[in-house]
Amino acid sequence: MPYELASFYKAIERCKHLTIQPLGLFVPHDIKPYVKGVINKNIEFVENSHDLFHSYDNHIFTNLLNAHIE
């Protein structure tokens, strides 16, 4: 949500020495370009889902976990 942007930005800045993947959950389409431009260009957007690890609903979680699956 727009009121969370400042906190989100601060969290990313604090973690910049770590390997992170910023995720925007259920971000309205009209502010996605703003978030990419101001907060982080590498942010991945994920739609709201009740089954976050279902690969059809949210492929990003499968991509993130592939590095840890043997």
Side-chain angles (χ1 to χ4, degrees), residues 5 15 18 32 43-44 47-48 50 54-55 61 63 69:
L5 290 176
C15 296
L18 302 171
K32 285 181 181 180
I43 189 169
E44 292 284 343
E47 296 302 320
N48 191 21
H50 296 288
H54 189 281
S55 62
F61 291 106
N63 293 343
I69 297 172

Side-chain angles (χ1 to χ4, degrees), residues 19-37:
T19 303
I20 63 168
Q21 174 59 65
L23 297 176
L25 302 174
F26 204 56
V27 176
H29 294 291
D30 57 335
I31 67 166
K32 285 181 181 180
Y34 174 79
V35 172
K36 273 195 175 270

Side-chain angles (χ1 to χ4, degrees), residues 2-67:
Y3 57 85
E4 298 173 315
L5 290 176
S7 297
F8 186 53
Y9 177 78
K10 288 177 188 175
I12 291 172
E13 284 297 305
R14 286 184 177 178
C15 296
K16 70 168 127 178
H17 64 282
L18 302 171
T19 303
I20 63 168
Q21 174 59 65
L23 297 176
L25 302 174
F26 204 56
V27 176
H29 294 291
D30 57 335
I31 67 166
K32 285 181 181 180
Y34 174 79
V35 172
K36 273 195 175 270
V38 174
I39 302 296
N40 190 294
K41 66 179 181 176
N42 296 319
I43 189 169
E44 292 284 343
F45 298 106
V46 183
E47 296 302 320
N48 191 21
S49 174
H50 296 288
D51 190 1
L52 294 177
F53 296 102
H54 189 281
S55 62
Y56 178 78
D57 291 336
N58 283 315
H59 67 281
I60 189 65
F61 291 106
T62 302
N63 293 343
L64 291 172
L65 292 173
N66 276 339

